[in-house]
Amino acid sequence: MTDLERHEYDVIVIGAGGAGLRAAIEAREQGLRTAVICKSLFGKAHTVMAEGGIAASMGNANEKDSWQTHFRDTMRGGKFLNNPRMAELHAKEAPMRVWELETYGALFDRTPDGRISQRNFGGHEYPRLAHVGDRTGLELIRTLQQKIVSLQQEDHRETGDYESRLKVFAELTITDILKADGAVAGAFGYWRESGRFVLFSAPAVILATGGIGKSFKVTSNSWEYTGDGHALALRAGASLVNMEFIQFHPTGMVWPPSVKGILVTESVRGDGGVLRNSDGNRFMFDYVPDVFRGQYADTEDEADRWYEDPENNKRPPELLPRDEVARAINNEVKEGRGSPHGGVFLDVSTRLPAEEIRRRLPSMHHQFKELADVDITAEPMEVGPTCHYVMGGVEVDADTAATSVPGLYAAGEVAGGMHGSNRLGGNSLSDLLVFGRRAGVGAAEYLAALGDSRPAVSEVDVDRAAETALAPFRDAAENPYTLHQELQQKMNDLVGIIRREGEVREALVMLDGLDERAKSVGVEGHRQFNPGWHLALDLRNMLAVCRCVALAALERTESRGGHTREDFPAMDPQWRAVNLICTLDDSDRVQLTRQPVPQIRQDLLELFERTELSKYLTEPELARLDAGVADSAQGSDQS
């Protein structure tokens, strides 16, 4: 092709949020020539929406905290469907990644004695979230960006070129991963401004593209979140795991309509905010699941005492894991006890003075004042569930972040396994850092083993990718905006926070129809400055990913974490041992299969009480635990 810009690198990082930037930093420090691809502007990453903090067991607020406790909390939050090795590595390495951020220049809030301050969040036994007010994600991105710049300045001093080893390509979209002999050979994309095609030749690609939220009508996600990485991985031959698990954050803005779904950070509840229905009742006491009885307060007086003495009192039910809180709010609204605009009330003004709210929650105060004309220092917010995060994602090796496709890696929200069926608040930012770094190391080790024998991009594949990208420029009857709106509404209605067999089947029929109509999607104009064309290409990704979500939601006949089946309301221990895997067949149709969940190591199992595990695990797993404990006891007796 003549109209083709070409570049050659060792590794391409697709996505410039926390996972992508940490992966790029590691790849560059491992000596790889690295390209970072941003779908939007450099710095405009969805990581900034993670406002409350970074979960890491540093023990600054409570010295009893440890990686073992963090691991236990993560597994409990994920209802034991987590990849245990990923949860273990995450819990062990998160403190190092936070301290590392400080060496990069991050400015965390401090305790009176000068240590990094840590706050409470739902599902965490101890105050564990290192924070910068309620703008932690923004500080993380700012810090990682500055580290990128500092590495470029270092390269300039050595080579005279700022971008010789690490270059950022902003406002560029990747549409296809290219392979040779089954291994990654590069990536094909286009500049969003000019429409000009770009070819990157590289033997390693790290996916760090985030989530899928723009497939749903009410979402906290920005326009970039169209499931690009998930779909790229599928088409490249990798697999997706447990795509049914979508987290509906319990507190998004519900008014005014123009900002419906924008996130209200969980730190509002961590700092004392309470949830009330239209009757003024603090309703969360009615929704504490049996598995959490004993850990959470039963009365308001008991919950209030926790704020004065969290070590010796039960936690407020507002700090239950997000899936529990979202379902409770949804039920209150459904039963007619919602706020005027279809949510519930979140009130932090009764516990904290106005000055303290403005200090601790500056973004929330500004957001509601400017966008909804609500002063949260004096009146409650109206909040409701919003599509926020996907726990499922690209199936990866825990230690290296490698997929089943040689040379392809994934980290952050696009990767699956770490969070099981539900993510705890604060675990996303530490996940980005831990596995972003591991992906960079994994790619470096792969290239070292590859040596000089690198896969070469086929010009036939390049032409095919260009032909697919140009397909919407034709006479056609279907408008991409119409299809996108229908997809969002139907996914929200049929595969949303509460699922039913008949509705999910209806969604699959709907997706069949949209797939057919998408073949005749067309756009007007030219490739320059053409958002309709961009959306037409994004639809290809969203439709594939939505089918994975719907198929898995239909298959899993239980309720667990971010997946609630009204017709199967209980959690079934037999499903605890099953991962649902999506792949593409030779006809590019999504296929769903079952696969065992990786076993939990004996020493990790023994971190839990048997009575707790009996609520989650299968009988063979419990038998293995009992046998191990018995062997340990026998060994102690003999010694």
Side-chain angles (χ1 to χ4, degrees), residues 465-477:
E467 183 181 348
T468 300
L470 291 172
F473 290 102
R474 60 191 166 198
D475 293 331

Side-chain angles (χ1 to χ4, degrees), residues 375-546:
D375 182 359
I376 70 170
T377 67
E379 55 189 315
M381 303 158 249
E382 283 190 68
V383 299
T386 178
C387 178
H388 179 55
Y389 191 93
V390 58
M391 276 72 68
V394 183
E395 190 177 22
V396 296
D397 174 75
D399 290 82
T400 64
T403 73
S404 58
V405 178
L408 184 62
Y409 299 78
E413 188 175 356
V414 72
M418 160 62 201
H419 304 288
S421 66
N422 180 53
R423 176 178 66 81
L424 295 185
N427 272 0
S428 58
L429 291 186
S430 39
D431 171 23
L432 301 177
L433 297 170
V434 169
F435 294 104
R437 174 189 168 274
R438 282 188 167 270
V441 173
E445 291 174 347
Y446 172 75
L447 262 73
L450 201 60
D452 295 330
S453 176
R454 297 190 172 193
V457 171
S458 162
E459 292 300 319
V460 172
D461 289 341
V462 174
D463 290 340
R464 186 180 298 117
E467 183 181 348
T468 300
L470 291 172
F473 290 102
R474 60 191 166 198
D475 293 331
E478 293 291 347
N479 184 310
Y481 293 99
T482 301
L483 263 64
H484 186 214
Q485 288 171 2
E486 290 184 29
L487 176 67
Q488 288 181 309
Q489 187 67 60
K490 291 295 186 180
M491 289 300 292
N492 225 81
D493 294 345
L494 303 176
V495 202
I497 190 169
I498 305 294
R499 284 114 182 229
R500 305 163 187 86
E501 180 180 350
E503 291 182 348
V504 179
R505 289 190 183 279
E506 183 183 341
L508 286 166
V509 173
M510 174 272 298
L511 288 169
D512 287 338
L514 290 183
D515 278 338
E516 192 61 34
R517 291 168 60 189
K519 294 176 183 176
S520 58
V521 151
V523 296
E524 297 179 352
H526 304 282
R527 284 155 57 185
Q528 295 85 1
F529 306 101
N530 195 330
W533 178 45
H534 305 162
L535 180 59
L537 298 181
D538 289 340
L539 274 171
R540 177 189 182 202
N541 299 332
M542 286 188 277
L543 288 168
V545 171
C546 286

Side-chain angles (χ1 to χ4, degrees), residues 58 130 154 204 263 372 413 460 516 547 570 594 613:
M58 295 184 288
E154 184 180 304
L263 202 63
E413 188 175 356
V460 172
E516 192 61 34
R547 185 171 296 277
R594 298 187 183 191
L613 292 178

Side-chain angles (χ1 to χ4, degrees), residues 16-23 45 47 140-141 144 208 429 432-433 436:
L21 294 186
R22 186 60 188 86
T47 302
L140 186 148
I141 286 294
L144 294 179
L429 291 186
L432 301 177
L433 297 170

Side-chain angles (χ1 to χ4, degrees), residues 148-166:
I148 293 283
V149 171
S150 71
L151 289 172
Q152 290 178 323
Q153 290 173 332
E154 184 180 304
D155 292 339
H156 182 260
R157 287 193 294 271
E158 292 182 16
T159 68
D161 184 352
Y162 286 104
E163 299 177 332
S164 59
R165 299 171 184 164
L166 178 58

